[in-house]
Amino acid sequence: MILYSIYFFLISVALLLSIIVVRQGNKRFISILFLLVATLSVEILAGVGYWLHREFVWAYHLYSPIEYLFIATFVLTSTHNRTTKNLIAFSVLLYMLFSISLSVFVYHFLGMPGINIGVESLLIFSLCTYRLFNLEATDKPIFLVADFWICIGFLLFFGGCSFFFAVYTPLFKTSVISALSLFGTIAMPLNLLLYSLIIIGLLCLIPKRNSASQL
């Protein structure tokens, strides 16, 4: 329960920072803002569904293609190569068709979309690896570059969870309690790390006041 409280707190902080960042003119991060809104909405819905003993896994079938859309858009808007932009845009269309088809014809929106999330994880891992290798040269050190922290967060989360989500679906069918327990053991710490790194990245975009100028 404590970990889940921290989880919701980190998402909320990241969402608040993304709103501030976008309002300050960093329009490219609007995709991160939308991603955080979607994430918080789905997690609240899942939490309510779990406590009320109502079906909620269908929400993750809708969330997976939406999540990939926003993360891919985040990488696409930082890319200047036309061919790469087209490939990323094509991958979004292809994955959305693949994910929705799998949810409708294979899962019927009844089980956790393990295959969907596994394929999405590989795609996001590839996109973020590409982004890290193509960071723009600036006068700022790497640890002050927002994209560095955000992409590292996605890499660690989706890289670490790719195997977990592959076994999550059959485990979820066998025992919901066991599946959620495994999620708390493996995926939850990675989730906390992901949103902590997103927060660090967003903080890099907020102008720091020069204390010397205040004297």
Side-chain angles (χ1 to χ4, degrees), residues 70-171:
F70 289 140
I71 295 177
T73 301
F74 172 68
V75 177
L76 185 148
T77 53
S78 67
T79 303
H80 304 292
N81 183 281
R82 177 58 59 182
T83 301
T84 303
K85 281 180 174 287
N86 291 336
L87 286 174
I88 294 175
F90 180 70
S91 76
V92 171
L93 177 61
L94 197 62
Y95 176 72
M96 294 186 77
L97 290 174
F98 165 80
S99 183
I100 293 172
S101 297
L102 207 61
S103 295
V104 172
F105 298 110
V106 177
Y107 288 107
H108 309 291
F109 292 95
L110 297 177
M112 285 296 288
I115 298 175
N116 308 46
I117 299 173
V119 172
E120 180 197 3
S121 297
L122 292 175
L123 290 171
I124 292 174
F125 191 90
S126 300
L127 287 179
C128 291
T129 300
Y130 168 82
R131 177 62 185 141
L132 284 175
F133 277 99
N134 289 274
L135 290 174
E136 294 80 6
T138 66
D139 295 332
K140 296 190 297 184
I142 191 69
F143 59 83
L144 292 179
V145 177
D147 284 38
F148 170 76
W149 293 108
I150 294 173
C151 287
I152 287 293
F154 287 139
L155 279 175
L156 292 175
F157 177 77
F158 287 101
C161 289
S162 57
F163 171 77
F164 165 75
F165 285 121
V167 300
Y168 190 77
T169 297
L171 182 61

Side-chain angles (χ1 to χ4, degrees), residues 8-40 70 74 146 150 154 194-207:
F8 280 105
F9 172 74
L10 290 177
I11 296 176
S12 300
V13 171
L15 176 57
L16 176 61
L17 288 174
S18 68
I19 293 173
I20 294 173
V21 164
V22 170
R23 285 175 61 88
Q24 288 179 340
N26 295 287
K27 301 301 183 183
R28 188 168 70 83
F29 290 84
I30 196 169
S31 57
I32 297 297
L33 189 160
F34 288 151
L35 172 64
L36 292 168
V37 169
T39 301
L40 188 59
F70 289 140
F74 172 68
I150 294 173
F154 287 139
L194 167 61
Y195 292 104
S196 295
L197 292 176
I198 289 177
I199 288 172
I200 293 173
L202 293 173
L203 284 173
C204 291
L205 295 166
I206 298 177

